[in-house]
Amino acid sequence: MLKYVRISIVSIFCLISGRSIPEDYLLDTQKIITISINDSTAYKRLSYLCDTFGPRLSGSRNLEKALDWIISEMKADGFSKPRGERVRVPTWIRGDESLQLILPFKKNLSILGLGGSVATPKGGIKAEVIVGSSFEELDEQGKKVRGKIVLFNAPFTTYGETVQYRYKGASAAAKYGAIASLIRSVGPWSMNTPHTGGMGYDKNHPKIPHAAITMEDAMMLGRLHDRGERIVMDLRMNARSVADRWSRNVIAELPGSEIPDEIVVLGGHIDSWDVGQGAHDDGGGCVAAWQAVKLIKDLGLRPKRTLRIVLWTNEENGGRGNMSYRNEHLSELKNHILAIESDGGVFNPRGFGFTGSDEARDMLTSISRLLLPIDANLIFKGGRAADVAPLNDEGVPVMSLKVDGSKYFWYHHTNADTFDKVDFIEFNRCVAAMAIMGYVVADMDDRLPR
Amino acid sequence: MLKYVRISIVSIFCLISGRSIPEDYLLDTQKIITISINDSTAYKRLSYLCDTFGPRLSGSRNLEKALDWIISEMKADGFSKPRGERVRVPTWIRGDESLQLILPFKKNLSILGLGGSVATPKGGIKAEVIVGSSFEELDEQGKKVRGKIVLFNAPFTTYGETVQYRYKGASAAAKYGAIASLIRSVGPWSMNTPHTGGMGYDKNHPKIPHAAITMEDAMMLGRLHDRGERIVMDLRMNARSVADRWSRNVIAELPGSEIPDEIVVLGGHIDSWDVGQGAHDDGGGCVAAWQAVKLIKDLGLRPKRTLRIVLWTNEENGGRGNMSYRNEHLSELKNHILAIESDGGVFNPRGFGFTGSDEARDMLTSISRLLLPIDANLIFKGGRAADVAPLNDEGVPVMSLKVDGSKYFWYHHTNADTFDKVDFIEFNRCVAAMAIMGYVVADMDDRLPR
């Protein structure tokens, strides 16, 4: 690996000599890649975070204990002012839940209630099930839906499209008088793996319980329905939303050596759903951002501008962390040079998405050539990841780390989003990509234009 | 697809002309492939079998209801003498089961008790857990194991090697005084998916409860153990073995037109574990064998020898079906020309494994060229699949269908072995491969030599 990296660096040097990209950073880039690819500090930290605290839902003790540990480790790392900035977060508690198929035969089905769902009545909901594959099919059923459970058996197309059944399915079904709604888990692949995630209610319709079943069971129920079988289920959920609780955004810095008021943000969201370990979503992104800045510090590189690690809370079910960060730091935002978030898993990085001016994009495209040795040199359109989008609304140029996303939605919001799914080399390449991009933008003579 | 198949057939014709292989069967082969690849009869039957009866553990009503339906369908197909041959089968009932991690933190873990395991005492077993990755590591622990739960966190190498922890783990742990044993599920990939399967007890040691946890949880517990954490769990199982019950091997025939006493067997095992739908293991193999003979019948092909479908019961936890078939048909076995089983999933077929004489192998290798249009023309060493092995012991040449096995052990014995995992084209290619091999051996002038 090292040999490969070194040869590539030399090739890049030859390739780019004479062009208008920051040749000054070739040596530092080589150092960052060489060290990051083989260092196990961050990988071990991610493992410890995942195994020790478990999933980190907003409002949970797991999350707050994880934040305590992170802040304490950041202090040990020697960062400037590691701290938690307090944020009130919505708090939803899953409680017990079960779903039993009663007719045409008995079977216990795996479910995950969707975040924000109300409970069933205490005795559960036992009702006939109407199966449809789309909102349109529901509309066609019309009055037949009253008093029944609706199952949206929508095949996965894109996340953005299919997730609509998770967000809006309950109210779409309640509009026709359904008493509960179920969705086929939002993902392209399953090994009997239900997916949770956020949902909302339209205030014009009654709030009904809303949960996800596995792809396998949804497809089976779809087939039973197509064969004309009468389907009856018993759904029990005692999920509840309680009063907002305190959480924190975690912040730590490597102060700029010349222009400390100018800030480059690197971060991820530290909360997760209440299943699995939140490893790819987004413990990995948080630890990668943290390690990227630690690496720069440990290498003795002191960029001109400040590098700030921000680990936002409550991305999954409220976005209160990113709104709070924007509000609390509003006066600083004119000097936020760039904000980079990793929230697509820590698989092999391919580059960064970017939202900002064309002039800035050209500059970042030049810098991105430094990432060619780790094949992460592409600049895509669009960098408005959830937690940096509010900063972009205020004019801050933003980036999101782009990775090989082919398996991201396999694990997303499931009990399978666990540390074992994170590959050592791939994760470290994410660290290297974040470190190089953050470092060069923080250190180069020119301020990244807006 | 059709065009491709036709062109290939022509190519094969050119390739093989002048050689000593059964050119007489090129036209019939083309018919079989053309029809089978596009026919949905068997695929729909597999779907109905999976969805209507669910998993089919020996001794269960599910299995017997599935057998009733199969026999009735075979009668409707017009086969000769579809029947069930009664077999006493061991009967194990899973009951409720749960596993909770108590220390270092609370977490409910997914488990599947292993088939044949005894129950825990009524109040469960709450004990410290010793984690090791091999039998050797257990031996090193020695006396420390007494009174504890042992977890074998053995990484998957090959099925044959890793399954030893499932078969023998309980007694290996009980030898040192363990009070329960757990294994990392036997498979190369997991999305929080536990795998069940058979296990046994060595009569020299106490019978202790034995269950599988997911790869994810086993790896996590391994990491916690490596960090020196004390691990405590609460295991509850009320599994029990009850008196043997009646089941059946299902048999149906297409009688030979000239030498009906000579028999070519095509089959699979119709029982499954009590999870998922037993789709790849081995509902798919059964329906493929059944459809292979139906196809030959429906095409009006009347091979000289008898084609017999045999769907063995109780392969998973006793092998009583295959022993009974051998015993009940002992006098016929000298005229069993070949017995072919499909029990490796109905993925893309690659060919057949074979156990028999070199002379027979040469002949089958010639025939296998007819399978080139569906890329299933390889003859591998070794055809002793579980249900045909006892026939081979009596001198019958045996084959097992060989398929792309890359995902077989992802689903094997899990809730993810469901109909949706069976691909229409791949399944139909299995049907075609079984049909062609069975038909040619049953019809060719020469009797396959022993």
Side-chain angles (χ1 to χ4, degrees):
Chain A
M1 179 52 67
L2 277 185
K3 196 172 173 190
Y4 160 75
V5 168
R6 278 180 187 143
I7 290 165
S8 300
I9 291 277
V10 172
S11 325
I12 304 317
F13 195 96
C14 301
L15 264 173
I16 64 180
S17 57
R19 298 191 197 179
S20 63
I21 62 161
E23 292 169 27
D24 298 347
Y25 293 103
L26 274 173
L27 190 63
D28 289 343
T29 296
Q30 182 172 8
K31 279 188 201 162
I32 289 171
I33 291 175
T34 305
I35 297 292
S36 64
I37 292 300
N38 297 284
D39 191 272
S40 62
T41 310
Y43 194 68
K44 284 180 181 162
R45 276 181 162 164
L46 180 58
S47 167
Y48 186 87
L49 174 73
C50 288
D51 295 340
T52 308
F53 307 106
R56 305 173 300 277
L57 187 61
S58 289
S60 68
R61 286 189 60 204
N62 287 12
L63 174 57
E64 297 310 303
K65 285 162 77 179
L67 298 181
D68 289 342
W69 173 76
I70 291 169
I71 292 168
S72 127
E73 289 287 298
M74 284 176 160
K75 284 179 181 162
D77 285 348
F79 284 113
S80 175
K81 296 181 280 180
R83 61 199 183 273
E85 293 188 344
R86 301 222 297 169
V87 186
R88 296 289 281 180
V89 293
T91 301
W92 178 79
I93 298 167
R94 175 177 304 281
D96 295 326
E97 53 192 17
S98 69
L99 179 64
Q100 190 180 33
L101 182 62
I102 306 285
L103 287 177
F105 51 86
K106 289 211 173 182
K107 186 187 176 200
N108 293 322
L109 307 182
S110 296
I111 63 163
L112 282 174
L114 295 168
S117 174
V118 296
T120 59
K122 274 203 173 164
I125 288 175
K126 188 170 162 181
E128 193 171 327
V129 179
I130 296 251
V131 185
S133 64
S134 65
F135 290 122
E136 291 68 30
E137 281 193 33
L138 178 71
D139 292 338
E140 285 166 22
Q141 298 287 335
K143 286 182 179 170
K144 286 186 202 160
V145 171
R146 180 160 302 279
K148 303 210 172 73
I149 298 171
V150 166
L151 165 60
F152 292 102
N153 179 29
F156 186 82
T157 51
T158 64
Y159 183 70
E161 188 170 283
T162 314
V163 79
Q164 299 307 319
Y165 295 93
R166 196 186 80 202
Y167 283 136
K168 302 179 188 169
S171 292
K175 187 173 74 172
Y176 291 108
I179 54 176
S181 55
L182 300 170
I183 60 164
R184 171 165 158 173
S185 282
V186 180
W189 181 254
S190 174
M191 281 170 57
N192 201 49
T193 318
H195 296 235
T196 188
M199 53 86 57
Y201 289 112
D202 177 337
K203 62 176 191 251
N204 296 316
H205 304 295
K207 291 184 176 182
I208 61 174
H210 192 40
I213 63 174
T214 68
M215 284 173 52
E216 285 91 339
D217 286 330
M219 286 190 268
M220 176 190 73
L221 292 163
R223 294 190 300 267
L224 292 173
H225 185 262
D226 290 346
R227 288 187 200 118
E229 295 279 0
R230 182 164 174 260
I231 301 169
V232 175
M233 284 188 189
D234 185 343
L235 173 67
R236 286 154 199 258
M237 296 168 63
N238 60 11
R240 64 193 198 279
S241 295
V242 299
D244 290 358
R245 293 181 181 171
W246 285 110
S247 183
R248 288 163 284 173
N249 290 329
V250 170
I251 296 180
E253 284 162 13
L254 177 64
S257 57
E258 297 182 14
I259 336 170
D261 289 349
E262 294 190 1
I263 296 164
V264 172
V265 166
L266 270 68
H269 69 83
I270 191 58
D271 68 308
S272 75
W273 279 102
D274 58 338
V275 294
Q277 297 184 320
H280 274 292
D281 186 16
D282 181 29
C286 288
V287 179
W290 170 9
Q291 178 69 8
V293 183
K294 180 176 189 302
L295 196 67
I296 292 162
K297 192 175 101 24
D298 291 351
L299 281 169
L301 304 172
R302 286 297 301 270
K304 298 182 185 67
R305 298 176 187 83
T306 292
L307 280 170
R308 178 181 285 176
I309 306 160
V310 183
L311 310 184
W312 290 275
T313 191
N314 189 229
E315 186 273 342
E316 293 292 6
N317 59 336
R320 300 276 185 87
N322 59 54
M323 288 185 282
S324 170
Y325 181 84
R326 179 199 53 197
N327 297 342
E328 295 297 316
H329 297 267
L330 206 54
S331 64
E332 288 175 358
L333 295 190
K334 62 181 183 301
N335 280 327
H336 271 49
I337 303 303
L338 178 67
I340 309 176
E341 180 166 22
S342 167
D343 183 23
V346 282
F347 302 94
N348 249 334
R350 301 296 299 122
F352 292 88
F354 175 67
T355 300
S357 67
D358 289 346
E359 202 183 341
R361 173 186 303 276
D362 289 345
M363 203 174 275
L364 294 167
T365 302
S366 286
I367 296 169
S368 73
R369 293 186 198 165
L370 293 165
L371 297 169
L372 218 154
I374 54 167
D375 282 332
N377 58 306
L378 302 177
I379 299 293
F380 302 85
K381 278 194 181 169
R384 286 171 54 88
D387 297 303
V388 294
L391 305 180
N392 185 245
D393 292 341
E394 302 296 326
V396 179
V398 295
M399 280 187 138
S400 64
L401 183 70
K402 295 290 181 191
V403 301
D404 168 10
S406 57
K407 284 190 177 160
Y408 184 63
F409 289 110
W410 288 29
Y411 313 136
H412 185 249
H413 299 181
T414 76
N415 276 309
D417 183 6
T418 46
F419 174 71
D420 55 284
K421 304 305 188 311
V422 178
D423 179 80
F424 178 71
I425 296 286
E426 295 185 0
F427 171 69
N428 278 342
R429 286 176 173 225
C430 291
V431 172
M434 301 274 280
I436 291 166
M437 184 56 74
Y439 170 61
V440 176
V441 173
D443 191 63
M444 63 189 184
D445 292 333
D446 292 339
R447 177 183 164 128
L448 188 75
R450 290 205 166 180
Chain B
M1 179 52 67
L2 277 185
K3 196 173 173 191
Y4 160 75
V5 168
R6 279 182 186 139
I7 289 165
S8 300
I9 291 277
V10 172
S11 325
I12 304 317
F13 195 96
C14 300
L15 265 172
I16 63 180
S17 57
R19 298 192 197 179
S20 63
I21 61 161
E23 292 169 28
D24 298 348
Y25 293 103
L26 274 173
L27 190 63
D28 289 344
T29 296
Q30 182 173 8
K31 278 188 202 163
I32 289 171
I33 291 175
T34 305
I35 298 291
S36 63
I37 291 299
N38 297 285
D39 191 273
S40 62
T41 310
Y43 194 69
K44 284 181 183 163
R45 276 181 163 165
L46 179 58
S47 167
Y48 186 86
L49 174 73
C50 288
D51 295 341
T52 308
F53 307 107
R56 304 173 300 277
L57 187 61
S58 289
S60 68
R61 286 189 61 204
N62 286 11
L63 174 58
E64 296 310 303
K65 285 162 76 179
L67 298 181
D68 289 342
W69 173 76
I70 291 169
I71 292 168
S72 125
E73 289 287 298
M74 285 176 160
K75 284 179 181 162
D77 286 348
F79 284 112
S80 176
K81 296 181 280 180
R83 61 199 183 273
E85 292 188 346
R86 300 222 298 170
V87 186
R88 295 290 279 181
V89 293
T91 300
W92 178 79
I93 298 167
R94 176 178 304 281
D96 295 326
E97 52 192 17
S98 69
L99 179 64
Q100 190 181 34
L101 182 62
I102 306 285
L103 286 177
F105 50 86
K106 289 210 173 183
K107 186 187 177 199
N108 293 322
L109 307 182
S110 296
I111 63 164
L112 282 174
L114 295 169
S117 174
V118 296
T120 59
K122 273 203 174 166
I125 288 175
K126 188 170 162 181
E128 193 171 328
V129 178
I130 295 252
V131 185
S133 64
S134 65
F135 290 122
E136 292 68 31
E137 281 193 33
L138 178 71
D139 291 338
E140 285 166 21
Q141 298 286 335
K143 286 182 179 171
K144 286 186 202 159
V145 171
R146 180 161 301 280
K148 303 210 172 73
I149 297 170
V150 166
L151 165 60
F152 292 101
N153 179 29
F156 186 82
T157 51
T158 64
Y159 183 70
E161 188 170 282
T162 314
V163 79
Q164 299 307 319
Y165 296 92
R166 197 186 78 202
Y167 283 137
K168 302 180 187 167
S171 292
K175 188 173 74 173
Y176 290 108
I179 54 177
S181 56
L182 301 170
I183 59 165
R184 171 166 159 172
S185 282
V186 180
W189 180 253
S190 174
M191 281 171 57
N192 201 48
T193 318
H195 296 234
T196 189
M199 53 86 58
Y201 290 111
D202 177 338
K203 62 175 190 254
N204 296 317
H205 304 295
K207 292 185 177 183
I208 61 174
H210 192 40
I213 63 174
T214 67
M215 285 174 52
E216 285 90 340
D217 285 331
M219 286 190 268
M220 176 190 73
L221 293 163
R223 294 190 299 267
L224 292 173
H225 185 262
D226 290 346
R227 289 187 199 118
E229 295 279 1
R230 181 162 175 261
I231 301 169
V232 175
M233 284 188 189
D234 185 342
L235 173 67
R236 286 154 198 258
M237 296 169 63
N238 61 10
R240 64 193 197 280
S241 295
V242 299
D244 290 357
R245 293 181 181 172
W246 285 110
S247 183
R248 288 163 284 173
N249 289 329
V250 170
I251 296 179
E253 283 161 14
L254 178 63
S257 57
E258 296 182 14
I259 337 170
D261 289 348
E262 294 190 1
I263 295 164
V264 172
V265 167
L266 270 67
H269 69 83
I270 191 59
D271 67 309
S272 76
W273 279 102
D274 58 338
V275 294
Q277 298 184 321
H280 274 292
D281 186 17
D282 182 28
C286 288
V287 178
W290 170 9
Q291 178 69 9
V293 183
K294 180 176 190 300
L295 196 67
I296 292 162
K297 191 175 101 25
D298 292 351
L299 281 169
L301 304 172
R302 286 297 300 271
K304 298 182 184 68
R305 299 177 186 82
T306 292
L307 280 170
R308 177 182 286 176
I309 305 160
V310 183
L311 310 183
W312 290 275
T313 192
N314 188 229
E315 187 272 342
E316 293 292 5
N317 59 336
R320 300 276 185 86
N322 59 55
M323 288 185 283
S324 170
Y325 180 85
R326 179 199 53 197
N327 297 342
E328 295 298 315
H329 296 268
L330 207 54
S331 64
E332 287 174 358
L333 295 190
K334 63 180 184 301
N335 279 328
H336 271 50
I337 303 304
L338 178 66
I340 309 176
E341 179 166 24
S342 167
D343 183 22
V346 282
F347 302 93
N348 249 334
R350 301 296 299 123
F352 292 88
F354 175 67
T355 300
S357 67
D358 289 347
E359 202 182 342
R361 173 185 303 276
D362 289 346
M363 202 174 275
L364 294 167
T365 302
S366 286
I367 296 169
S368 73
R369 294 186 198 164
L370 293 165
L371 297 169
L372 218 154
I374 55 167
D375 282 331
N377 57 306
L378 302 177
I379 299 293
F380 302 85
K381 279 194 181 169
R384 286 171 54 88
D387 297 303
V388 293
L391 305 180
N392 185 245
D393 292 341
E394 302 296 326
V396 179
V398 295
M399 279 187 140
S400 64
L401 183 69
K402 295 289 181 192
V403 301
D404 169 10
S406 57
K407 284 190 178 159
Y408 183 63
F409 289 110
W410 288 28
Y411 313 135
H412 185 249
H413 300 181
T414 76
N415 276 310
D417 183 6
T418 46
F419 174 71
D420 56 284
K421 304 304 189 309
V422 178
D423 179 81
F424 178 72
I425 296 287
E426 295 185 1
F427 171 70
N428 278 342
R429 286 175 172 224
C430 291
V431 172
M434 301 274 281
I436 292 166
M437 185 56 74
Y439 170 61
V440 175
V441 173
D443 191 63
M444 63 189 183
D445 292 334
D446 292 339
R447 176 182 164 128
L448 189 75
R450 290 204 166 181

